[in-house]
Amino acid sequence: MRLVLVGPPGAGKGTQAVFLAEHYSIPHISTGDIFRANLKSGTELGNQAKAFMDRGELVPDSVTNDMVKDRLTHDDVANGFLLDGYPRNVVQAEVLRAFLAERKTPLQAALELSIASDEIIKRLSSRRTCRACGAPSEAGATKCSSCSGADLYQREDDKEEVIARRLEVYEEQTAPIISFYRSEGILLTIPAVGTVSEITEQAITALSRLA
């Protein structure tokens, strides 16, 4: 299975990626993990990215694209992969399509997790994080259930006005890739509502239709 996950922040892509990658026995590849691995190892690409980050600049698409392409040459992707957080725009999607076409391993599906903006704001703004261990906690909790019961706080990027801006950026930059993959004929859309297991089951059912 060669798959990308798309959807707005707060749709649960990271959570679903873990379960789907396990179900299909394929690596879960996130851009965050790729960046951290390259920076930690001091690779040429990592050093290029660090130079931009040290100047307070965004890492350009060209560096991100090269990091992802390098990761997709590793042996563990022989039976497929799940991309989470990439591509983030149509230019990246086109680069990925061309790279996979060269390797004769095109994407089989782009799975969209669909959820209304007001539900995302409600979901994320109610989230709290542990000051001690950094673990997220259920809405309404006052103490962390993952460590010694430390206090919880609301992260800056979980405040309503920040979430609203993140959604605006998503609509401007990332949402167009949904149209891109629809035109490619590989877009599958499921509602990102219900329990984690219910959403996973819907995803697997949708993907099973590819067989």
Side-chain angles (χ1 to χ4, degrees):
M1 177 66 68
R2 296 180 298 276
L3 170 70
V4 299
L5 284 186
V6 295
K13 295 187 297 297
T15 299
Q16 290 305 317
V18 172
F19 287 103
L20 291 173
E22 181 179 354
H23 177 81
Y24 291 106
S25 299
I26 54 177
H28 167 207
I29 300 174
S30 77
T31 47
D33 289 344
I34 294 174
F35 267 86
R36 284 187 287 273
N38 277 274
L39 290 169
K40 183 177 180 180
S41 300
T43 66
E44 181 179 346
L45 288 171
N47 289 335
Q48 289 179 32
K50 186 175 185 299
F52 287 99
M53 295 163 68
D54 286 347
R55 294 196 298 267
E57 300 175 11
L58 292 176
V59 177
D61 279 355
S62 58
V63 176
T64 302
N65 290 337
D66 286 346
M67 282 189 182
V68 173
K69 288 191 287 186
D70 175 73
R71 178 64 181 86
L72 292 177
T73 64
H74 294 192
D75 292 341
D76 64 344
V77 305
N79 295 319
F81 54 82
L82 187 157
L83 281 171
D84 168 23
Y86 181 94
R88 288 189 179 275
N89 55 53
V90 172
V91 172
Q92 290 183 351
E94 290 173 338
V95 168
L96 177 64
R97 177 181 60 184
F99 175 75
L100 295 177
E102 289 176 1
R103 299 173 66 83
K104 296 182 172 57
T105 55
L107 285 176
Q108 292 170 274
L111 181 66
E112 178 195 8
L113 301 183
S114 178
I115 183 171
S117 294
D118 57 349
E119 178 61 28
I120 291 173
I121 292 174
K122 177 182 176 182
R123 179 184 294 184
L124 293 185
S125 63
S126 65
R127 187 168 61 180
R128 296 296 183 270
T129 302
C130 177
R131 290 190 182 279
C133 71
S137 292
E138 300 273 343
T142 57
K143 297 290 182 179
C144 180
S145 59
S146 298
C147 60
S148 58
D151 289 338
L152 304 176
Y153 75 103
Q154 184 181 41
R155 300 187 325 185
E156 285 297 319
D157 58 355
D158 284 338
K159 293 183 177 179
E160 287 194 24
E161 60 274 18
V162 179
I163 297 167
R165 178 54 189 155
R166 290 169 64 194
L167 291 175
E168 288 178 6
V169 172
Y170 171 79
E171 288 298 327
E172 294 168 2
Q173 300 180 2
T174 309
I177 69 173
I178 293 173
S179 297
F180 174 86
Y181 284 125
R182 183 179 292 112
S183 69
E184 294 279 291
I186 61 171
L187 182 71
L188 299 173
T189 302
I190 64 167
V193 292
T195 65
V196 170
S197 59
E198 287 171 345
I199 297 170
T200 304
E201 186 176 344
Q202 288 186 72
I204 292 170
T205 298
L207 292 167
S208 69
R209 301 185 190 122
L210 298 173

